[in-house]
Amino acid sequence: MALIVPSILSADFARLGQQVEEAQAGGADRIQIDVMDGRFVPNITVGPLVVEAVRRHTSLPLEAHLMIVEPERYVEDFARAGADIIIVHQEVSPNLHRTVQRIHALGKRAGVAINPATPLAALQEILGDIDLALCMTVNPGFGGQNFIASMVSKIERLRAMIQQHSATCDLEVDGGISVETAPLVTRAGANVLVAGSSVYGAAGGVASAIAALHSAIG
Ligand code: DX5
């Protein structure tokens, strides 16, 4: 079964530790921290300090999704802060192979993300070296955006590419994942689903939202 990874972007930051504990108690498989610098994306969020704080409230694997320029400058900081998986964007990583090597040298898993308009070919040469390929299903920067339906075909083609290369990386999706879209992306080949607003914005609370996502993907 696919993994459910709540992202804290839509959590209540005034009680973030409690929200993370709720996600773990509610059956989350990992937690994602959305890092934004106001340059790669039109929003500014958090840095390593918040990863450190979240680390103290959960034993789940932490993903640091670096939606920032020059991510290679900060991988050590996020590794030291307690991230288990460090995800960088291909679009801002001209020396991507070196960055992936650096993340692995730090004892962490390496993820590479691509935005909706970035061709899959951008992942082709690195697919065999990474632990996670993240296919963005919204344009990054904000929670609560609508799922981009044309990404279903891209997910299918990415799954086929992973199989053709005999790669072992996860296929993660992020953006607009809900009980409606979750089955679409898992049928297309995603095995890790990031969900922010559908978890932390749910009227019934975090645990029931996670349970609903798990049941939506069967
Ligand atoms: C990029 C962020 C969001 C977040 C999930 O904007 O990475 O995709 O994690 O947000 P939702 O699930 O609310 O679309």
Side-chain angles (χ1 to χ4, degrees), residues 40 66-72 88-95:
F40 180 64
L66 306 188
M67 290 166 273
I68 66 175
V69 301
E70 300 179 311
E72 67 280 1
V88 300
H89 270 261
Q90 183 277 335
E91 298 90 350
V92 284
S93 299
N95 295 296

Side-chain angles (χ1 to χ4, degrees), residues 73 110 122 130-131 145 170 183 203:
R73 292 180 54 199
I130 60 179
D131 306 286
Q145 299 181 92
D170 285 332

Side-chain angles (χ1 to χ4, degrees), residues 5-10 32-36 41 43 65 67 89 134 136-147 173-178 194-199:
V5 183
S7 81
I8 65 168
L9 191 61
S10 296
Q32 186 178 101
I33 293 132
D34 305 271
V35 179
M36 301 181 188
V41 293
N43 196 0
H65 179 188
M67 290 166 273
H89 270 261
L134 171 50
M136 292 301 296
T137 45
V138 296
N139 293 298
F142 302 94
Q145 299 181 92
N146 292 330
F147 177 85
V173 294
D174 178 357
I177 300 303
S178 66
V194 175
S197 52
S198 64
V199 170

Side-chain angles (χ1 to χ4, degrees), residues 55-153:
R55 182 74 283 167
R56 295 194 293 272
H57 287 270
T58 180
S59 57
L60 291 177
L62 295 185
E63 298 186 354
H65 179 188
L66 306 188
M67 290 166 273
I68 66 175
V69 301
E70 300 179 311
E72 67 280 1
R73 292 180 54 199
Y74 302 96
V75 293
E76 281 89 345
D77 294 338
F78 284 98
R80 195 178 308 117
D84 300 286
I85 302 169
I86 298 174
I87 303 170
V88 300
H89 270 261
Q90 183 277 335
E91 298 90 350
V92 284
S93 299
N95 295 296
L96 183 56
H97 185 272
R98 179 184 290 138
T99 303
V100 167
Q101 284 184 314
R102 185 81 198 101
I103 294 169
H104 284 152
L106 291 162
K108 306 300 180 180
R109 282 175 276 174
V112 176
I114 53 173
N115 286 339
T118 303
L120 287 178
L123 292 175
Q124 190 163 317
E125 306 307 327
I126 202 69
L127 212 54
D129 299 300
I130 60 179
D131 306 286
L132 180 152
L134 171 50
C135 182
M136 292 301 296
T137 45
V138 296
N139 293 298
F142 302 94
Q145 299 181 92
N146 292 330
F147 177 85
I148 299 172
S150 61
M151 293 296 104
V152 174
S153 153

Side-chain angles (χ1 to χ4, degrees), residues 153-214:
S153 153
K154 189 175 182 181
I155 295 162
E156 289 168 347
R157 288 181 281 115
L158 177 51
R159 175 51 67 190
M161 183 191 283
I162 290 169
Q163 284 161 343
Q164 282 155 7
H165 287 73
S166 305
T168 57
C169 58
D170 285 332
L171 199 173
E172 180 167 300
V173 294
D174 178 357
I177 300 303
S178 66
V179 291
E180 289 79 27
T181 57
L184 302 179
V185 298
T186 51
R187 276 199 296 270
N191 70 303
V192 183
L193 279 55
V194 175
S197 52
S198 64
V199 170
Y200 286 112
V206 171
S208 64
I210 294 170
L213 284 168
H214 274 305

